[in-house]
Amino acid sequence: MIFRKPCSLLIILFGVFNLIFIRKLKFTKTAWILILCIASPVLLELLLFWNNDSFSKGLKAIEKSISLLLFPIFIIGNYQRVKFLKLIETYSIATTMVMLGFVIRFYILYPDLLSKYLNRIDLFEIGYKFADSIGIHAPALNMHLAFVSVCAFYFVFYSFHNNEKRALKILRFAVFLLSFSFVLLVNTRMALVNVLIGYAIVFIVEIKSKFSLNRMALTLIALLLVIGGILFFFVQKNPYMKQKYSTVTFAYMDKVGKLDEIDHPEIYAFNTLATRLSIWKSAWELSIKNLPFGVGASDGKPELNKYYKETNQHFLAKFEFPTHNQFLDFLLKFGILGPLVVMLYIFTIGYLGYDLKNPLIISFFIIFFTSNLIDDFLLRFDGIAFSGLWFSVFSSYWLQQKFTLGKEPEAV
């Protein structure tokens, strides 16, 4: 999921494999509804394909989203074969081990950055430099890592609930500690907030029904000490975190739409909320001018860049910022239908989690929803494939839980 080229190859192999066994696919009416929900972004692109100025660029935009057709058809078509917990645990452990390898590689190849970090120099760059070293945008990487860490946290509880061997408990706890450390290393604000919310959701759902009040309180104290200790260690090593989550974030709020008035905005404005608000303001204004059908899937970013220049926002134009909000991105591209499709796509995940009372699905919904409030992950291949895969897996698990013991409706 993290690496585009290997992920693209695996999706192709996955599709070919399932085509060989296409007769094994079975669908119910409910399954088709879920498939349409998951495929809704790419179906919207097909519906409004005529609105693209460039045929080739329109096809390229659709190509990034094709996994939203493959995943639901082939995963939900085999929903009875999906092993939910085994798949999630394998994913979380494998991703954590891969990241451990890349962290070791990073410190071998870039010892100067480690030296600067230990000496508290240019602390703001370490997370982004690490993400760049493996070829992915830091917020996108940390969105993946936040979900992995919440999953690892869940399996710590799972070990204790099932009285598993001590060695397995230690292994799962070690994976959790590593995964949380990687989130802190990349150090993006939304991911850190989301991972803590995810931990809270797992704790509340898992503890509430399975532990006494006294044991619940002791467990909470122990977890707060562990998580608080890790946070304290990272803040001590990286005091820039204090600035990043306070003064840096909320600086220059009086310069929204006027970022060029800041002295050297390319130095001081990048990590501010004011920059996001300026982008959103421009995207909203341009979207309103292009209702009801938007500017087209392939023309969203070029038209926004053109608008920056027309409104003399030179800083935004120089760095060609995308919308950084998925709802606004789809409003700009597809008009009125855009935000409705984003809501259908994301909030259906929330419904599945709420209906199953499953903390992992609920946490994924919160991570993906909030991440798309400040970024546009249905614009990026990694966000599209990441959400499409897990949305399909969650849908399969929901179907398993709802239609078992002979209650499943007839296949159509």
Side-chain angles (χ1 to χ4, degrees):
M1 285 290 102
I2 293 175
F3 310 104
R4 176 166 183 163
K5 290 183 179 179
C7 183
S8 299
L9 177 61
L10 287 172
I11 290 173
I12 292 169
L13 293 175
F14 177 73
V16 171
F17 176 83
N18 279 278
L19 286 173
I20 294 171
F21 299 98
I22 195 167
R23 292 185 179 181
K24 292 185 178 290
L25 299 178
K26 293 182 180 180
F27 302 98
T28 65
K29 292 180 180 178
T30 307
W32 278 114
I33 292 172
L34 289 169
I35 289 169
L36 290 174
C37 288
I38 298 169
S40 58
V42 69
L43 294 177
L44 180 62
E45 289 193 38
L46 289 169
L47 177 66
L48 297 178
F49 186 82
W50 57 268
N51 201 25
N52 291 299
D53 288 341
S54 169
F55 180 83
S56 60
K57 289 181 179 178
L59 285 179
K60 187 176 180 180
I62 290 175
E63 179 267 331
K64 285 195 299 184
S65 304
I66 201 69
S67 59
L68 295 183
L69 284 174
L70 294 179
F71 281 143
I73 289 174
F74 292 138
I75 294 176
I76 294 177
N78 288 290
Y79 80 87
Q80 291 178 318
R81 299 179 178 89
V82 173
K83 297 180 180 179
F84 178 69
L85 288 180
K86 184 177 180 180
L87 182 60
I88 282 190
E89 183 173 28
T90 301
Y91 171 79
S92 61
I93 293 174
T95 304
T96 302
M97 293 301 102
V98 168
M99 292 307 301
L100 178 60
F102 275 104
V103 167
I104 294 170
R105 168 183 172 271
F106 179 72
Y107 288 138
I108 292 173
L109 295 181
Y110 304 97
D112 54 324
L113 288 176
L114 176 60
S115 177
K116 288 169 66 177
Y117 182 75
L118 294 176
N119 288 289
R120 303 183 180 186
I121 301 171
D122 292 339
L123 295 171
F124 65 90
E125 70 175 358
I126 189 74
Y128 280 81
K129 290 289 186 180
F130 171 69
D132 287 343
S133 74
I134 59 176
I136 188 170
H137 186 46
L141 174 60
N142 233 13
M143 178 180 67
H144 290 262
L145 296 180
F147 181 58
V148 165
S149 191
V150 171
C151 292
F153 185 70
Y154 170 85
F155 283 105
V156 172
F157 282 89
Y158 185 85
S159 289
F160 283 93
H161 290 163
N162 292 279
N163 293 317
E164 293 178 329
K165 294 179 180 179
R166 180 178 296 179
L168 188 55
K169 291 178 181 177
I170 293 172
L171 174 63
R172 284 177 166 161
F173 190 70
V175 171
F176 159 64
L177 291 180
L178 281 172
S179 65
F180 184 43
S181 298
F182 296 152
V183 172
L184 292 173
L185 172 64
V186 180
N187 194 19
T188 54
R189 285 160 287 196
M190 184 55 70
L192 180 56
V193 171
N194 280 335
V195 82
L196 295 176
I197 292 173
Y199 294 163
I201 291 169
V202 170
F203 178 81
I204 291 168
V205 173
E206 292 301 305
I207 294 293
K208 186 177 179 182
S209 60
K210 297 171 183 175
F211 283 95
S212 66
L213 187 61
N214 289 337
R215 195 173 178 187
M216 180 177 174
L218 290 172
T219 307
L220 176 60
I221 292 170
L223 287 172
L224 287 175
L225 288 173
V226 171
I227 295 172
I230 297 172
L231 277 172
F232 178 78
F233 173 79
F234 269 85
V235 171
Q236 288 297 108
K237 292 294 181 182
N238 187 353
Y240 175 71
M241 285 182 69
K242 298 176 185 177
Q243 300 175 38
K244 184 175 181 178
Y245 287 81
S246 55
T247 55
V248 171
T249 298
F250 299 104
Y252 306 111
M253 293 297 288
D254 59 326
K255 300 297 182 183
V256 173
K258 302 175 291 183
L259 297 175
D260 294 294
E261 295 180 7
I262 301 171
D263 186 28
H264 298 297
E266 66 278 2
I267 298 176
Y268 300 109
F270 258 108
N271 287 323
T272 66
L273 180 59
T275 297
R276 285 283 201 281
L277 292 172
S278 297
I279 295 168
W280 297 342
K281 180 175 180 291
S282 297
W284 172 260
E285 292 169 353
L286 185 58
S287 298
I288 296 302
K289 289 182 178 182
N290 288 277
L291 292 177
F293 298 116
V295 300
S298 66
D299 304 308
K301 189 173 180 180
E303 289 296 323
L304 185 58
N305 291 332
K306 189 189 298 182
Y307 188 74
Y308 293 151
K309 295 174 183 177
E310 290 174 356
T311 53
N312 296 314
Q313 298 184 82
H314 305 295
F315 168 65
L316 298 182
K318 177 181 177 181
F319 292 97
E320 299 184 342
F321 288 99
T323 52
H324 284 94
N325 179 290
Q326 193 58 65
F327 295 89
L328 280 174
D329 179 70
F330 266 44
L331 177 65
L332 177 60
K333 291 178 177 177
F334 304 114
I336 295 171
L337 288 176
L340 297 178
V341 167
V342 177
M343 289 179 66
L344 173 67
Y345 185 84
I346 296 178
F347 280 91
T348 302
I349 300 174
Y351 167 76
L352 297 177
Y354 175 79
D355 193 48
L356 292 173
K357 302 297 186 291
N358 186 285
L360 296 179
I361 303 177
I362 295 171
S363 297
F364 183 95
F365 159 69
I366 291 173
I367 290 169
F368 197 65
F369 171 62
T370 56
S371 295
N372 278 291
L373 290 178
I374 62 166
D375 225 313
D376 31 30
F377 287 109
L378 288 177
L379 176 66
R380 301 174 53 87
F381 173 83
D382 44 25
I384 293 167
F386 174 66
S387 61
L389 171 69
W390 289 114
F391 194 170
S392 301
V393 171
F394 299 154
S395 298
S396 297
Y397 183 60
W398 183 83
L399 288 169
Q400 289 174 7
Q401 300 302 304
K402 294 299 176 181
F403 303 119
T404 55
L405 301 177
K407 296 179 181 179
E408 180 187 353
E410 293 183 4
V412 293

